[in-house]
Amino acid sequence: MNDLSRNYINGQWVDWSGDTLDVHEAGTGEVIARVPSSGREEMEQAIAAADRAFESWSESTLEQRIKVLEQLHAGLKERSGEIAETICREVGMPIKLATAIQAGLPATITKSYLKLLPDFAFSEQSGTSEVQYAPVGVVGCITPWNYPLHQVILKIVPAIAAGCTVVLKPSEIAPQSAYILAEILDGTDLPKGVFNLVCGLGQTVGDTLIKHPDVRMVSFTGSTRTGNLIAHAAADDFKRIALEMGGKSASVVLPDADLGAAVKGTVNNCLLNSGQTCTALTRLLVPADQHDEACELAAAAVAKMTPGNPLEETTRLGPLASAQQRDRVFDYIRLGIEEGATLVAGGPEAPEGCDQGYFVKATVFGNVKPDSRIAQEEIFGPVLSIIPYQDEADAIRIANGTEYGLSGAVWSADQDKAKKVASKLRTGQVTVNGGAFNPQAPFGGFGHSGIGREFGKWGLEEFLEVRSLQL
Ligand code: NAD
């Protein structure tokens, strides 16, 4: 059992002797780690440390910042095996994928900022004015469990690069990689107080962080419900906010598309990380006359997703991260049946042989009504809804017919036609004919999916205020 009863405040590990929170192994349900259920006082100490460190870090040179990020990148590479296994156990993502994504992506993103920074204009001329981009101040970062290190890196790397100081409150369900990160940063030249880690519950330490007057920005990834609380709290003293929240993304298959490729691509995307992915393509929109064939193809694709112990190389579908999440997904599958959708594959139970841990069968519903709850609400589990549509206008209306707008996909034999439809989707990202994920492209949501963008220069600009000198 990994005893992590400590917080990282002002460049030091501070032992914690109060209540702790259990971290469970997704594949077995066993307790594998303990972290502090810190109090408001620890969070206030961390914010004070970040506030003190801001004055000098905000004036650090670009070379200093780049050096720290190079050291961070080296540390992430060095400990990637440990990071992958830690997150595989906590979240349930199969080890092969966890190695590539959960451990690989944080290093890739850090590298992308190392490439971008030397050419980023922290000041520019506009007519007779000099426009300067200044760090926002102390940033509170609050993150969820599903890509626990990736989501942290997307905040702290550009924040530190911008000259901000940071207090991180990671997910209490998957906090261990944040400790690895703090250990790596502790070994770099980052001055004390620039990065602080406080672990605990959202309603205590998270609440203190989002309401504290010395925190000038909150960068949050998580549920729309918590994002809403943060937006309200931030309004009181006009904090800047960046919110990355939920999704209910549509994969639109046009009549001329390769149906087999579109269904396979959508199923793989939907089931990635057992559906615990905010961008998951959870609604498959197909022409009504291709609906039954799409259901057969989806059932066949799902049957290939071997469930099992995520630590095994052959596993393709792991468990969910917590018992609570598993039960929530079971409830949604029962709801889908009650709502009259056709159960094509799966159901509200664990796959055979997966009695321990938090497994859910990969589930496909056909004939789903666009306004039913399983087609409107984020399930965050391995559940795909296939929705028949009448014509292109109907498909676009259905795709845009939820409160979310995070991601989407369009499939067509004609790339230009696919792009035309993609441009009508009210969403922050659209994958055209299975186009690859690109960490240099901006990422974020329309509507209830978010405010602001992460990745690349867009992610860096979130942490910068604009000042113009009239000369
Ligand atoms: P959550 O909102 O319950 O928790 C996220 C974080 O917020 C946790 O650290 C939690 O402790 C904290 N928190 C909870 N209540 C708080 C409060 N009152 N004040 C301050 N902090 C509080 O989300 P979750 O269940 O951990 O994550 C799943 C959700 O995250 C899904 O809805 C998913 O779509 C979303 N998500 C979005 C993205 C994205 O980039 N758009 C990425 C991953 C996950």
Side-chain angles (χ1 to χ4, degrees):
M1 222 258 314
N2 195 8
D3 185 6
L4 295 168
S5 302
R6 51 190 182 271
N7 292 304
Y8 186 72
I9 299 173
N10 202 30
Q12 294 204 308
W13 287 106
V14 181
D15 284 339
W16 169 256
S17 54
D19 290 348
T20 55
L21 301 164
D22 289 343
V23 180
H24 297 263
E25 177 151 347
T28 63
E30 280 167 28
V31 175
I32 48 170
R34 285 209 177 103
V35 291
S37 180
S38 308
R40 292 178 186 273
E41 207 177 300
E42 284 66 40
M43 183 51 88
E44 279 161 9
Q45 285 165 7
I47 294 167
D51 195 34
R52 283 194 302 275
F54 180 70
E55 194 176 330
S56 65
W57 187 249
S58 63
E59 293 186 351
S60 57
T61 63
L62 191 58
E63 288 69 33
Q64 270 176 288
R65 299 178 197 175
I66 286 175
K67 186 168 177 212
V68 168
L69 295 183
E70 278 170 348
Q71 292 168 326
L72 169 62
H73 181 255
L76 290 170
K77 290 288 240 192
E78 200 181 303
R79 297 184 69 174
S80 68
E82 188 189 344
I83 292 168
E85 186 181 330
T86 300
I87 299 177
C88 166
R89 286 182 189 275
E90 280 177 340
V91 178
M93 180 182 264
I95 189 72
K96 241 176 153 171
L97 287 168
T99 303
I101 300 173
Q102 303 279 13
L105 213 45
T108 303
I109 285 158
T110 308
K111 188 87 186 168
S112 77
Y113 277 103
L114 282 167
K115 279 198 192 135
L116 177 154
L117 278 171
D119 297 325
F120 186 82
F122 281 92
S123 73
E124 61 186 329
Q125 205 66 29
S126 178
T128 56
S129 299
E130 180 181 316
V131 181
Q132 300 177 336
Y133 297 92
V136 166
V138 175
V139 180
C141 299
I142 302 182
T143 50
W145 83 73
N146 53 340
Y147 292 86
L149 185 58
H150 164 66
Q151 287 144 342
V152 168
I153 287 287
L154 271 177
K155 301 182 186 320
I156 66 137
V157 167
I160 288 173
C164 295
T165 58
V166 168
V167 179
L168 168 65
K169 196 220 81 70
S171 163
E172 58 275 30
I173 294 167
Q176 294 180 93
S177 55
Y179 281 81
I180 298 177
L181 172 70
E183 284 165 14
I184 295 172
L185 287 172
D186 190 53
T188 68
D189 292 338
L190 194 68
K192 63 179 187 178
V194 177
F195 170 82
N196 304 271
L197 165 70
V198 177
C199 211
L201 294 172
Q203 61 264 34
T204 48
V205 286
D207 185 72
T208 303
L209 188 57
I210 66 176
K211 292 181 179 159
H212 200 288
D214 293 340
V215 174
R216 289 315 316 145
M217 172 172 172
V218 176
S219 178
F220 168 78
T221 301
S223 65
T224 300
R225 177 188 50 80
T226 309
N228 186 278
L229 287 176
I230 290 171
H232 276 95
D236 279 344
D237 64 351
F238 304 102
K239 278 185 189 30
R240 184 182 285 211
I241 48 172
L243 307 175
E244 297 288 349
M245 303 181 288
K248 193 74 196 178
S249 301
S251 179
V252 180
V253 184
L254 297 178
D256 65 348
D258 175 343
L259 186 64
V263 172
K264 192 171 157 214
T266 304
V267 167
N268 286 342
N269 177 294
C270 176
L271 298 187
L272 179 69
N273 207 16
S274 296
Q276 302 171 110
T277 303
C278 49
T279 52
L281 299 170
T282 49
R283 295 182 297 149
L284 176 60
L285 276 50
V286 294
D289 61 359
Q290 295 180 28
H291 171 268
D292 293 354
E293 194 187 344
C295 287
E296 279 169 31
L297 288 165
V302 156
K304 290 193 187 138
M305 302 295 290
T306 325
N309 180 347
L311 287 163
E312 275 168 26
E313 293 276 330
T314 48
T315 295
R316 294 193 61 196
L317 188 73
L320 301 189
S322 69
Q324 190 190 7
Q325 187 60 19
R326 173 201 56 197
D327 295 345
R328 202 173 152 248
V329 175
F330 282 161
D331 284 346
Y332 268 113
I333 298 174
R334 286 187 205 104
L335 176 70
I337 296 167
E338 277 164 32
E339 285 182 323
T342 312
L343 187 65
V344 173
E349 60 258 332
E352 262 172 55
C354 297
D355 312 325
Q356 288 183 314
Y358 312 130
F359 288 89
V360 177
K361 272 185 174 169
T363 298
V364 177
F365 282 110
N367 276 314
V368 177
K369 294 193 186 73
D371 55 356
S372 61
R373 281 184 58 200
I374 59 159
Q376 289 288 322
E377 297 175 19
E378 186 180 51
I379 299 174
F380 229 53
V383 183
L384 177 69
S385 293
I386 303 182
I387 304 175
Y389 69 80
Q390 298 307 321
D391 55 26
E392 195 176 296
D394 191 34
I396 294 166
R397 185 186 57 76
I398 294 169
N400 289 336
T402 77
E403 61 192 17
Y404 294 113
L406 190 58
S407 189
V410 180
W411 306 81
S412 167
D414 176 346
Q415 181 89 345
D416 287 338
K417 188 168 171 201
K419 274 174 69 180
K420 231 167 139 182
V421 172
S423 304
K424 292 186 179 166
L425 300 189
R426 306 282 304 156
T427 176
Q429 290 217 333
V430 188
T431 300
V432 176
N433 285 324
F437 172 75
N438 173 13
Q440 267 132 38
F443 175 93
F446 283 33
H448 288 203
S449 287
I451 294 175
R453 292 293 178 268
E454 293 190 314
F455 289 89
K457 76 176 170 91
W458 301 272
L460 182 58
E461 282 164 0
E462 293 290 329
F463 298 98
L464 295 167
E465 291 278 13
V466 184
R467 176 197 297 123
S468 53
L469 305 188
Q470 322 301 5
L471 303 171

